[in-house]
Amino acid sequence: MTRIKRGYIARRRRKKISLFASSFRGAHSRLTRTITQQRIRALVSAHRDRDRKKRDFRRLWITRINTVIYGVGVSYSYSRLIHNLYKKQLLLNRKILAQIAISNRNCLYMISNEIRK
Amino acid sequence: MIFPFPSPSPSLFLPLPLPPSFSDIWNNTWYPKAKDHINTEKTWYVVDATDKILGRLASTIAVHIHGKNLATYTPTIDMGAFVIVFYCMNKFSLLETCSYWYGSGFFLSNLTQYVNAEKVAASGKKRTQKLYRRHSGRPGGMKVETFNQLQQRIPERIIEHAIRGMLPKGRALFNHLKVYKGPDHPHNAQKSIELLIRDKRVQKQR
C-alpha cells in the first residue's frame, strides 16, 4: 500500500467540535479530547432536558398559582381551583394562570370567584 | 407594565414589593431580574417564639425564608425574606405580670409550673422524649440529648435544627434565619415587621 498521511482531516473535524465548546470553562474548551467528551455530555443534557423543561415549567406555574390562591381564603387551594376550572370548562392553562397570578393578582381572584359559583 | 393593586388578603397590611418587571407576559414565563431580588430590599420579619409549638412555627418560618408565600417564587433564585426569631428565657417577666394581677402576696412556688412556659413549646411528652442526635465521626461517637437538655444548653439550636430540616440544602437560605435568646436582637435597623402565622394551633394550649 502507498503511504497516506492523514493530513488535516482530523484537525478539520476537531475544529468543528471545538467551535461548539468554545464557551466552556477551563480545559473543557482547550483540550481536544476533553472537548469531544464535553460536547457529547452537553448534547445529551440538552436532549434530556428538552423534555424536562416542559415538566419543570409546569411545576413552577403550579407552585406560583398555589401561592396566590391560598390568599383567597380558608380552605381554597390550587386543587380546588383546577377542579372548578374543569367543571366550568374554562380552558385557561396553568401558564396563563401563573402569569396572571404574578402580574395582576386581583384578576386571578376574580376568576376564581366566578368559577366557584 | 401592569401595576398590581392591593388585594383583600392579609398582605394588604404588609408592605407590597415593587411590581415585577415584565416583557411579553403571555409568551415568556416571568423570571426575576437582578433588581427583583436585591438583598438589601428584602423584607425582614420578627417572630416571638415563646409558647409556640415548635414544628408549626418552624414550618411557617421556613415557608417565608424559602419565598414560597410569594407569587414571584423561583426555585433557582433566593426570593425569600429574612426572619428574626427571639424568645424570652427570663422567668421574672412572668412573675411581674402575676404580681400585678394577683397582688404582691403571690409566692414564687406558685409559679414553678409556669417557669417552663417562656420557651419554645412542644406538645405531649416531647420535652423529655424527643431526642437530638449528633455524631462526632469517630466510632462510638454518637451523642444523644433530650429536648429539655438541649434547651438548657443551647436553646437557639432547637429552632435552628427544626427550620434547617425544612429548608433546601445549603447555607444560603439558612443564613437568612436569625435566632436569639432573650427579647433583644441586634437587627433594629432592619425595621422588621411582625410575622403573621396563619396556623391556628401554633399557640401552646394551657
Side-chain angles (χ1 to χ4, degrees), chain A residues 29-90:
Chain A
S29 57
R30 291 177 177 78
L31 310 177
T32 51
R33 290 205 225 177
T34 329
I35 286 176
T36 10
Q37 292 162 1
Q38 295 307 315
R39 176 177 176 270
I40 293 174
R41 299 192 94 236
L43 291 174
V44 166
S45 295
H47 179 79
R48 178 194 65 219
D49 291 339
R50 254 174 265 133
D51 287 326
R52 284 203 155 266
K53 192 166 45 171
K54 302 165 179 61
R55 301 181 224 168
D56 288 341
F57 270 107
R58 189 167 156 127
R59 269 178 125 197
L60 180 59
W61 298 327
I62 292 176
T63 314
R64 284 182 176 166
I65 297 170
N66 202 4
T67 308
V68 173
I69 283 295
Y70 268 114
V72 165
V74 187
S75 79
Y76 201 55
S77 60
Y78 165 83
S79 46
R80 286 170 204 262
L81 173 77
I82 296 297
H83 176 66
N84 291 337
L85 271 174
Y86 281 132
K87 241 186 359 186
K88 301 282 180 175
Q89 297 182 335
L90 187 59

Side-chain angles (χ1 to χ4, degrees), chain B residues 192-203:
Chain B
S192 27
I193 44 187
E194 184 85 33
L195 182 69
L196 291 170
I197 303 180
R198 289 177 79 169
D199 192 339
K200 292 198 186 73
R201 296 171 62 187
V202 72
Q203 197 64 31

Side-chain angles (χ1 to χ4, degrees), chain A residues 17-30 35 38 42:
Chain A
I17 296 177
S18 77
L19 179 63
F20 182 87
S22 59
S23 59
F24 289 10
R25 194 181 193 203
H28 294 187
S29 57
R30 291 177 177 78
I35 286 176
Q38 295 307 315

Side-chain angles (χ1 to χ4, degrees), chain A residues 61 64 67-68 71 99 106, chain B residues 5 25 28-30 69 73-74:
Chain A
W61 298 327
R64 284 182 176 166
T67 308
V68 173
Q99 295 291 84
N106 263 19
Chain B
F5 39 94
I25 177 176
N28 294 342
T29 303
W30 184 81
N69 55 325
Y73 167 73
T74 313

Side-chain angles (χ1 to χ4, degrees), chain B residues 36-52:
Chain B
D36 293 315
H37 58 100
I38 311 175
N39 246 4
T40 43
E41 286 176 29
K42 289 192 179 152
T43 352
W44 281 71
Y45 291 104
V46 180
V47 200
D48 180 4
T50 48
D51 271 355
K52 299 240 166 39

Side-chain angles (χ1 to χ4, degrees), chain B residues 44-54 56-62 64-65 81-88 120 159 163 176-185 192-198 202-203:
Chain B
W44 281 71
Y45 291 104
V46 180
V47 200
D48 180 4
T50 48
D51 271 355
K52 299 240 166 39
I53 301 288
L54 175 64
R56 292 175 186 272
L57 175 69
S59 174
T60 330
I61 295 178
H64 282 268
I65 295 182
F82 288 76
V83 179
I84 307 169
V85 184
F86 68 91
Y87 60 106
C88 306
V120 160
I159 300 183
I163 296 179
H176 288 0
L177 170 73
K178 320 275 180 194
V179 186
Y180 298 100
K181 190 171 76 170
D184 308 312
H185 58 83
S192 27
I193 44 187
E194 184 85 33
L195 182 69
L196 291 170
I197 303 180
R198 289 177 79 169
V202 72
Q203 197 64 31

